[in-house]
Amino acid sequence: MTSFETPRLVIRQFKPEDWRLLKELIIWFNASEYAAYDHSWPDSDRKIKELSRSFSAHGGYFAVFVKDTCDFAGYISLVQTETPGVYNLGYCVNAVFHGQGYATESCRAALTYAFEKLGASKIISGTASENIPSCALLHKLGFKMTGSAVFSFHRDHDGIPIEFLGCQYELMKPADVG
């Protein structure tokens, strides 16, 4: 099982039994202002268990824990795209851990892992332009915005698509890495 650490975090591959932790994160996320900018997450125990098993089997999904307390802070994903050497970075940190640098720390560790261990040549990511904290995180990590497009994952109460501007980002492998 793949795992890596930072000074404050333990980041390890998801396990099927992590489904309850994932459920807590999904409940928070679905109630957050950011839910409108993402695909729908499952809401039943059965579907969350299936998702946790899928995360575990895939190998590119990592649970993030605070070392001192063993609290589950969120997840990081590194999913290989159809293009060899290109991975998609995803992340979600529960609001109770916002503002403590855990997203930056865990994403930096995941990027190092991707470039040094997985042989990634480029990492891509995306977020809604309205998700200012996520845009700021990607910029802080060195990502450059490469484009934008209008997306819609949900509809309002009248059935009208909720549209938003989604921004695409990329980070090339640093020259000084393997």
Side-chain angles (χ1 to χ4, degrees):
M1 172 174 291
T2 302
S3 68
F4 41 97
E5 295 187 16
T6 70
R8 301 183 304 155
L9 303 171
V10 173
I11 303 161
R12 64 146 171 86
Q13 212 169 347
F14 256 89
K15 298 178 183 178
E17 58 267 25
D18 291 333
W19 75 271
R20 284 184 184 87
L21 301 172
L22 186 58
K23 179 180 178 179
E24 291 175 25
L25 186 65
I26 288 171
I27 290 169
W28 164 77
F29 184 80
N30 284 341
S32 78
E33 63 189 284
Y34 304 114
Y37 310 127
D38 205 347
H39 295 280
S40 295
W41 285 88
D43 55 6
S44 73
D45 285 357
R46 182 184 59 78
K47 289 183 179 179
I48 295 170
K49 286 177 184 178
E50 289 173 9
L51 182 61
S52 188
R53 280 193 299 273
S54 175
F55 279 8
S56 176
H58 183 275
Y61 291 85
F62 301 91
V64 178
F65 296 90
V66 179
K67 268 187 190 176
D68 292 345
T69 62
C70 297
D71 288 333
F72 175 68
Y75 81 88
I76 300 287
S77 63
L78 283 169
V79 177
Q80 187 165 2
T81 68
E82 293 179 7
T83 305
V86 178
Y87 288 79
N88 189 357
L89 173 70
Y91 48 86
C92 184
V93 174
N94 194 312
V96 298
F97 297 101
H98 285 182
Q100 299 177 52
Y102 293 140
T104 302
E105 191 172 326
S106 59
C107 284
R108 277 198 179 123
L111 293 172
T112 298
Y113 172 75
F115 288 128
E116 293 181 359
K117 303 292 186 198
L118 299 178
S121 58
K122 178 169 65 173
I123 309 292
I124 60 172
S125 193
T127 191
S129 63
E130 290 91 348
N131 189 339
I132 303 300
S134 188
C135 292
L137 171 63
L138 291 170
H139 285 286
K140 182 189 269 188
L141 294 168
F143 280 80
K144 304 294 182 216
M145 191 169 89
T146 58
S148 61
V150 175
F151 290 91
S152 176
F153 297 124
H154 305 279
R155 297 182 177 273
D156 68 13
H157 297 296
D158 298 321
I160 298 169
I162 301 170
E163 294 182 337
F164 65 93
L165 185 65
C167 301
Q168 293 89 37
Y169 291 85
E170 72 177 36
L171 177 66
M172 301 304 291
K173 180 179 182 176
D176 61 341
V177 175

